[in-house]
Amino acid sequence: MISILQPHVPHYREEFFAGIGRFNRINIYCYNLKEAKSENFFPSNLKVKKIRNIQFGPFLFYNPFSLFRNKDETLVLMLHFGHLSTWFLLFSKFFHKKKIILMGQGISVKRYLQETNKPDFKLKLMISLADGAWIYTKKEANQWQKIFPRKSIIALSNTISGVESILEFTHVQTKENLKKQYRIGQSTCFIFCARFTNNYRRIDLMIELIEKLDSKKFGFIIIGDGKLKPDFSSYSNVYDFGSVYDQSLKDDLFTVADFYLQPGWIGLSIVEALAYGKPVLTFKRSEHTLQCVEYYYLKHKINGLIFENIQDALCQIENLDDYFQNQMSINAREYVRKNLLMKNMIDQANSII
């Protein structure tokens, strides 16, 4: 039996937890179900249990004894230093005898450059007390494996539900017919698909590209909503579809697009883009342009392009050719096939339970 703690379970996590449940009896406890609605997450259909909690700032206290009711042998908790109840469970392992696995990125995205050289001592202590860890990507997992060579630490290779279906998808209509259907006239189209819930996505850079690139040649498809979403209505080459949960519409729009564009805060959305065969365009990780751990999946000029600055972005975009684009598209899908299948993520997780 496994008890898993999460803030909530969005749709892109559904297949992962369902896969864990095929091999083990699981209970999923959620402490922030309201976030799914307020942050425009599309919820999964998995049955979850609400756990009583108190939150203040970055700190969370949840009822740790709720996890003991079913005499679970393994607890999968979050690798988050602000979870006070997790500290209690880690320090009291000698008493409750539960196996504890910590799940998370393994690094602060906001302090990524500093923690790459010097891992956070709080996370280091948490992992030292745990029995194992599920770390999202290989880069961060390797960092912790060097520190704790005898501990069960694995890289999940974080991916999304339905990635295999996207990989095999081929549209019955041509790109040209779909462009006519949606009245998109530009020869090259970028697609953005993410929530507008924080400023770290650097939408300011995307607007600068919209304004400086030839509007008759380059089009921008926007999927996503959120409180920080700008008004794109004044741009003739921007096609704003808002939140899209209709898979057939998403299939249409990704087929029309030539590239996926997200200037900052690259995360799981790029797995979907790569699976569709869309090379990912973004900016280099820096103090001013933060990137999530999935940035590791991008290989410059292999499955995407990483820009140094806005001038570099304009230069590289304006000099793209069809052959280069097609090769990156092939590489994008191949990378997902080799590294980001959901079966692999489930197998990795189960390997240390």
Side-chain angles (χ1 to χ4, degrees):
M1 175 70 79
I2 302 171
S3 283
I4 300 173
L5 180 73
Q6 292 283 290
H8 55 88
V9 181
H11 68 288
Y12 60 78
R13 280 273 182 260
E14 182 172 347
E15 192 177 347
F16 173 65
F17 289 125
I20 299 297
R22 285 199 297 270
F23 301 96
N24 311 274
R25 291 172 55 206
I26 67 169
N27 286 310
I28 302 175
Y29 294 87
C30 296
Y31 60 82
N32 204 352
L33 294 172
K34 291 182 180 178
E35 182 186 47
K37 293 183 179 180
S38 65
E39 296 295 309
N40 294 98
F41 281 103
F42 187 51
S44 78
N45 294 312
L46 290 179
K47 183 178 179 181
V48 301
K49 299 180 179 181
K50 184 176 180 179
I51 190 168
R52 294 179 63 185
N53 68 89
I54 299 172
Q55 299 182 54
F56 46 101
F59 300 103
L60 169 76
F61 181 81
Y62 56 86
N63 180 6
F65 301 106
S66 296
L67 307 178
F68 292 168
R69 292 176 182 173
N70 296 300
K71 297 182 180 180
D72 298 291
E73 296 177 356
T74 301
L75 306 179
V76 178
L77 309 177
M78 298 185 71
L79 181 55
H80 191 308
F81 73 87
H83 287 196
L84 304 181
S85 302
T86 299
W87 285 107
F88 167 75
L89 290 168
L90 288 168
F91 278 112
S92 60
K93 279 179 83 267
F94 69 93
F95 174 74
H96 58 70
K97 309 295 184 184
K98 306 294 182 184
K99 180 177 181 179
I100 296 179
I101 295 172
L102 298 175
M103 175 180 179
Q105 296 180 133
I107 197 167
S108 167
V109 173
K110 295 179 182 179
R111 297 182 297 277
Y112 193 98
L113 296 177
Q114 301 94 301
E115 292 187 17
T116 296
N117 299 316
K118 187 178 180 180
D120 185 89
F121 75 93
K122 298 182 292 298
L123 299 186
K124 187 175 180 180
L125 179 57
M126 292 186 86
I127 293 176
S128 72
L129 295 168
D131 296 283
W134 292 349
I135 306 298
Y136 284 1
T137 71
K138 289 181 181 179
K139 188 173 186 295
E140 289 71 42
N142 289 341
Q143 184 179 30
W144 289 113
Q145 285 165 349
K146 290 177 182 177
I147 297 171
F148 301 108
R150 297 182 180 180
K151 196 171 286 287
S152 297
I153 297 173
I154 59 95
L156 290 173
S157 293
N158 201 25
T159 191
I160 59 171
S161 297
V163 68
E164 288 86 354
S165 297
I166 297 173
L167 267 179
E168 302 308 319
F169 173 75
T170 302
H171 210 294
V172 294
Q173 293 195 59
T174 66
K175 180 182 291 189
E176 289 70 27
N177 286 340
L178 288 169
K179 279 188 173 182
K180 290 178 182 177
Q181 179 181 331
Y182 292 102
R183 299 180 180 179
I184 296 174
Q186 289 76 15
S187 58
T188 300
C189 288
F190 307 102
I191 189 168
F192 170 94
C193 183
R195 293 169 294 114
F196 293 87
T197 52
N198 68 58
N199 289 316
Y200 302 122
R201 299 196 196 282
R202 296 301 309 270
I203 304 305
D204 58 312
L205 293 174
M206 185 164 70
I207 288 176
E208 197 168 351
L209 289 173
I210 292 170
E211 293 177 346
K212 291 184 175 180
L213 288 168
D214 185 347
S215 62
K216 293 182 180 179
K217 181 179 179 181
F218 298 100
F220 296 79
I221 297 168
I222 306 296
I223 296 176
D225 272 321
K227 58 186 178 182
L228 298 178
K229 183 175 182 176
D231 182 4
F232 292 107
S233 61
S234 63
Y235 300 108
S236 62
N237 59 335
V238 176
Y239 306 88
D240 185 0
F241 290 85
S243 295
V244 174
Y245 299 119
D246 180 347
Q247 189 60 48
S248 62
L249 175 56
K250 186 174 280 191
D251 289 341
D252 288 354
L253 298 179
F254 269 93
T255 299
V256 167
D258 300 289
F259 301 94
Y260 181 84
L261 172 65
Q262 186 175 324
W265 207 254
I266 283 285
L268 269 179
S269 57
I270 68 165
V271 175
E272 180 177 50
L274 293 171
Y276 273 111
K278 306 303 163 182
V280 175
L281 311 187
T282 191
F283 284 75
K284 185 178 179 180
R285 177 187 271 135
S286 69
E287 293 180 3
H288 305 292
T289 304
L290 304 181
Q291 301 287 10
C292 301
V293 294
E294 290 80 10
Y295 178 78
Y296 165 76
Y297 300 155
L298 299 184
K299 313 301 176 188
H300 182 54
K301 294 188 175 180
I302 302 297
N303 59 8
L305 296 175
I306 299 173
F307 309 128
E308 293 286 338
N309 50 49
I310 199 73
Q311 289 73 28
D312 181 41
L314 291 168
C315 181
Q316 291 198 56
I317 289 171
E318 288 170 348
N319 287 284
L320 286 167
D321 62 61
D322 290 343
Y323 175 79
F324 186 39
Q325 175 195 334
N326 290 336
Q327 192 56 53
M328 286 196 296
S329 177
I330 292 168
N331 295 340
R333 274 187 156 155
E334 192 60 24
Y335 184 87
V336 175
R337 236 177 236 110
K338 289 182 176 179
N339 302 282
L340 300 175
L341 299 182
M342 180 56 71
K343 181 183 182 301
N344 297 345
M345 184 176 176
I346 294 168
D347 290 345
Q348 283 291 92
N350 279 324
S351 69
I352 64 168
I353 292 178

